Amino acid sequence: QVQLVESGGGLVQAGGSLRLSCAASGRPFGSYTMGWFRQAPGKEREFVAAITWNGGSTYYADSVKGRFTMSRDNAKNTEYLQMNSLKPEDTAVYYCAAGRSLRYDGTLNYDYWGQGTQVTVSS
């Protein structure tokens, strides 16, 4: 089992920045691909970003490319999502996830999920 706890969400004005963190415990963190997803009210959970087990590769949804940056510190069992130039349409509950699938952009590719953290961007 892997336990994931997100933090860092909040209310920010459009154009502002937030950094989300996801702290992991349980099985070795360094062996998992980590992902971020988000879910807005009335919408399906969607892929935001992912990072491979060693941080060697990152992947982003087109909607956040160039604005969000994902990183991880395996020594601290923590991953991060730096979100810049935030837009009102980024408003959602953000979830971190861990998995060992070769694919990274679907919810079924992940085995463990955090409880989510709310991000609200005002216009």
Side-chain angles (χ1 to χ4, degrees), residues 5-10 19-23 36 79 94 96 115-117:
V5 179
E6 303 96 334
S7 61
R19 189 175 82 154
L20 305 184
S21 299
C22 176
W36 284 97
E79 53 147 332
Y94 283 70
C96 71
Q115 82 290 347
T117 185

Side-chain angles (χ1 to χ4, degrees), residues 43-104:
K43 295 188 176 182
E44 292 187 353
R45 193 170 297 189
E46 64 174 5
F47 170 75
V48 175
I51 189 167
T52 52
W53 67 274
N54 61 354
S57 297
T58 50
Y59 307 92
Y60 299 95
D62 288 343
S63 59
V64 307
K65 204 170 292 184
R67 300 188 297 122
F68 290 12
T69 302
M70 188 171 181
S71 61
R72 68 189 296 165
D73 185 340
N74 286 349
K76 296 182 178 180
N77 287 351
T78 304
E79 53 147 332
Y80 307 96
L81 185 67
Q82 178 67 44
M83 306 187 295
N84 298 329
S85 302
L86 283 162
K87 305 175 181 180
E89 50 264 44
D90 294 319
T91 295
V93 177
Y94 283 70
Y95 298 90
C96 71
R100 285 178 167 162
S101 172
L102 294 178
R103 297 200 56 172
Y104 56 85

